[in-house]
Amino acid sequence: MANRTTQAIVHFKNAFLLPGFDKPQPAGEYRVDHDEEPIEGVSRLAWHRVGSFIHLPGIGVKMSTHQMVPINAADLDAALEKDNKTS
């Protein structure tokens, strides 16, 4: 069975900084891709996340360059949780 990519939109109310970023990113909505592979040998179909990427800049921001940056999904979850607590 082939790998798959799922997409999500995340929303930050405040500027945020993920490990490996040079500078904070502004508040807004960002597209995130999660690459997953099937887990073999289970009776039901299950998927294991093998990579996550955030698209920069955020949705609706006009820039001449766009990039897809690898991130750790746990770091993204922690940043989103921190953002929710500060609002």
Side-chain angles (χ1 to χ4, degrees), residues 25-85:
Q25 298 300 309
E29 292 186 325
Y30 291 82
R31 193 171 102 209
V32 176
D33 293 346
H34 298 289
D35 289 344
E36 301 169 321
E37 63 185 14
I39 297 174
E40 301 290 333
V42 296
S43 60
R44 296 184 302 184
L45 181 59
W47 296 89
H48 170 71
R49 186 173 293 162
V50 294
S52 295
F53 304 87
I54 191 167
H55 294 255
L56 299 176
I59 295 171
V61 176
K62 303 290 185 203
M63 290 187 74
S64 59
T65 60
H66 292 268
Q67 56 183 329
M68 198 167 89
V69 180
I71 57 170
N72 181 308
D75 292 336
L76 176 63
D77 291 342
L80 286 165
E81 185 175 329
K82 179 181 176 184
D83 185 63
N84 284 330
K85 287 181 180 178

